[in-house]
Amino acid sequence: MALEDVKVPKRVFNIDPKGSQKKPAEEEYWEKQARVARGKREYMEEVKMTERISDPEPPAEPPFKVTGEVSMGKIDLQEQQREARAAADDERIRAEARITAAEAERDSSRQSLMDAQLGHMKDQLGGQIDQLKGALANGRQDLGEQIGNITKFAEMLGYQKVEAGPTDGSLTLEIKKLEWSMQKESRDFQRQMKKDEREWQLEIKKLDQIRIDSEAKLAQEKERWASFSNIPERLGSVVAQSMAEREGNGGGSVTDTKTYHATAAEGEFGSVPCPVCNAAITVAAETTFAECARCHTKVAIERVKKPSEDEE
Amino acid sequence: MKGALAEFAPQFLRGALSQMLSNLSVDEAVLWVNEDKSLFGEITPKYRAQIKALKLRKMDWLTSGWCIDATSERSPQIASLFLNWPKGREWLDRQTVELKTAFVSE
């Protein structure tokens, strides 16, 4: 067993750089086979070309051959045209003859029909005239109706009614229609006017109501604020009154020292007039002395018994 | 301006009180006293706001006597009721205190 040289590093994979560039064996094999096949094909083609030059092939024959002939006869196109034209002329002449005969038959039929109609009308008219004569003689039928019938039959015979003049019934009818339409429009206009007037009156009433409401509201507001707006005026009057009273009383008390007497029912609130200023003095229940709030006059209250219902 | 307006506060309140009590009957006033009704509660919020807007520092002048005097011109019956009825006077005293508390600004 050989000793391993530990100083040389151990080779793990033996990689041959040349071998790594080589193609795989199978691929190399098929490439070789292809080259051989190509060489064989080129060789065969060269051999064929050489043989063709030395021994050229005969030209190819058609598969089958038709022989024989067909005779179309003698064709004269001008002669054919002439014959065709002659046949067409004959046919046209025959058709014209048929048309002439049909027209003659139609005319004769129309004439006979007109004769028949005329005879029929004459018969009818004669009958109507006879009937009219009979009616006139008997006086049973309406003359207007008979005239209408006669006119109708006369129209059938070709009688043309004279065109209506400017005063005929249709124009009168048109005028009537126009007048009626104008009257209707006038009525509608009057109705619309009345409606507008009514709406206008309602609108005015509404506005009036709004104005009244606004005025009432304004008056209410004014009254509410009157106490504030009149303060300076009131203040002035109060001050002036107070000063006048003080001056009048020599700056002394406004209280009247004289005692007045009044009567009130027992145990009830009452009211007595002030003997000095005539202002109402409220007398409380059970009190025997009252003072006027305005002039401070003192009033002695004499309580009297309230008369009972039995006494009354 | 506020100070100037505050000078007119007594007249302002005098007018308001006079107006308020002018429509009051004696019976209604007696009822108010007996039920101890709040006078402040009868003042409309608008009036209250206007009085509060004056920013009054003190209202020493607001007494029951001042109220009687204020109403005596237009409503002598009501004024004499409070003047001659002790219970009514007491009620009016209480109301003035309440009004002062409500309207005087700190």
Side-chain angles (χ1 to χ4, degrees):
Chain A
M1 186 178 176
L3 290 173
E4 191 178 346
D5 187 1
V6 294
K7 290 182 181 175
V8 178
K10 190 180 177 183
R11 192 176 288 170
V12 180
F13 301 109
N14 290 323
I15 298 168
D16 183 11
K18 269 189 176 176
S20 66
Q21 290 179 354
K22 279 184 179 174
K23 291 179 180 177
E26 191 180 357
E27 192 179 344
E28 196 175 330
Y29 170 76
W30 287 114
E31 280 182 2
K32 188 179 173 183
Q33 289 295 322
R35 276 197 302 274
V36 169
R38 204 179 300 124
K40 271 187 180 178
R41 192 184 65 225
E42 286 174 358
Y43 170 72
M44 291 298 288
E45 283 177 359
E46 290 296 327
V47 168
K48 277 183 181 175
M49 284 176 71
T50 310
E51 284 176 354
R52 207 175 293 154
I53 290 166
S54 61
D55 188 14
E57 288 180 358
E61 292 181 356
F64 57 89
K65 190 178 179 180
V66 178
T67 57
E69 61 180 16
V70 176
S71 175
M72 299 295 287
K74 189 181 178 183
I75 299 169
D76 187 350
L77 293 174
Q78 287 184 345
E79 182 61 29
Q80 285 178 358
Q81 282 179 356
R82 266 197 302 275
E83 286 175 358
R85 200 176 294 130
D89 287 341
D90 289 344
E91 187 64 29
R92 184 173 53 81
I93 289 162
R94 278 197 299 274
E96 283 177 356
R98 280 200 300 273
I99 289 166
T100 308
E103 283 178 351
E105 191 178 349
R106 183 199 64 192
D107 290 341
S108 65
S109 299
R110 187 184 291 168
Q111 188 63 41
S112 60
L113 181 65
M114 282 176 70
D115 291 342
Q117 282 180 341
L118 196 62
H120 177 67
M121 286 177 191
K122 278 179 180 174
D123 291 342
Q124 276 191 333
L125 187 60
Q128 290 289 331
I129 289 165
D130 292 340
Q131 204 175 356
L132 180 62
K133 280 178 181 173
L136 284 171
N138 297 327
R140 287 181 301 181
Q141 247 181 319
D142 185 20
L143 185 61
E145 188 184 347
Q146 292 300 321
I147 290 168
N149 288 334
I150 290 164
T151 308
K152 193 166 73 179
F153 279 107
E155 281 176 358
M156 287 169 72
L157 288 169
Y159 167 74
Q160 290 288 329
K161 192 181 177 183
V162 180
E163 284 298 319
T167 55
D168 74 325
S170 62
L171 188 60
T172 309
L173 188 65
E174 284 298 320
I175 290 166
K176 288 284 180 192
K177 275 183 184 176
L178 197 61
E179 283 176 355
W180 182 81
S181 174
M182 283 175 71
Q183 283 173 359
K184 186 174 178 294
E185 281 179 6
S186 176
R187 279 199 303 273
D188 288 345
F189 179 71
Q190 293 292 336
R191 203 176 295 123
Q192 187 65 31
M193 284 283 284
K194 279 181 184 172
K195 192 180 170 188
D196 288 348
E197 180 69 21
R198 209 177 302 125
E199 284 177 357
W200 178 242
Q201 291 295 335
L202 280 171
E203 196 66 26
I204 287 171
K205 279 181 184 173
K206 274 183 192 173
L207 287 169
D208 276 348
Q209 190 59 41
I210 289 166
R211 183 181 56 80
I212 289 163
D213 290 348
S214 299
E215 281 178 0
K217 206 177 277 181
L218 192 66
Q220 202 175 353
E221 197 71 20
K222 195 177 173 183
E223 193 180 343
R224 191 184 289 175
W225 286 95
S227 60
F228 296 101
S229 61
N230 292 334
I231 280 172
E233 185 183 337
R234 284 186 192 179
L235 183 63
S237 65
V238 166
V239 169
Q241 189 181 355
S242 173
M243 285 174 71
E245 281 174 356
R246 282 180 187 174
E247 282 173 6
N249 291 313
S253 172
V254 294
T255 309
D256 192 352
T257 53
K258 191 179 177 183
T259 304
Y260 296 89
H261 295 271
T263 55
E266 263 183 353
E268 281 184 356
F269 280 91
S271 180
V272 294
C274 176
V276 177
C277 68
N278 207 28
I281 303 170
T282 304
V283 181
E286 304 299 336
T287 55
T288 55
F289 196 76
E291 185 180 340
C292 177
R294 192 178 283 174
C295 65
H296 299 281
T297 303
K298 290 179 174 59
V299 180
I301 306 298
E302 187 185 346
R303 291 290 176 177
V304 293
K305 279 192 177 179
K306 188 182 175 184
S308 63
E309 291 178 0
D310 296 336
E311 286 174 355
E312 287 177 349
Chain B
M1 187 63 189
K2 291 283 180 190
L5 284 173
E7 289 295 316
F8 286 98
Q11 284 77 16
F12 184 79
L13 205 61
R14 185 188 178 100
L17 192 68
S18 176
Q19 175 70 27
M20 199 163 69
L21 296 177
S22 64
N23 296 323
L24 196 69
S25 68
V26 174
D27 291 339
E28 284 171 334
V30 170
L31 200 67
W32 280 20
V33 172
N34 288 331
E35 289 180 352
D36 197 18
K37 200 169 184 176
S38 169
L39 194 63
F40 177 74
E42 291 300 311
I43 300 171
T44 60
K46 202 172 177 181
Y47 274 40
R48 287 183 206 169
Q50 285 169 351
I51 297 166
K52 285 283 275 183
L54 295 173
K55 295 189 183 298
L56 301 169
R57 290 287 175 193
K58 55 181 183 178
M59 295 174 76
D60 294 338
W61 43 268
L62 186 61
T63 60
S64 59
W66 180 87
C67 290
I68 290 164
D69 189 48
T71 52
S72 64
E73 192 63 35
R74 291 183 71 175
S75 311
Q77 270 190 306
I78 301 294
S80 60
L81 174 72
F82 293 125
L83 187 65
N84 299 318
W85 188 27
K87 191 180 176 183
R89 188 70 179 255
E90 285 167 13
W91 175 82
L92 198 58
D93 282 332
R94 283 199 302 278
Q95 299 311 310
T96 52
V97 171
E98 187 184 348
L99 289 173
K100 278 182 203 175
T101 312
F103 289 137
V104 172
S105 300
E106 297 275 323

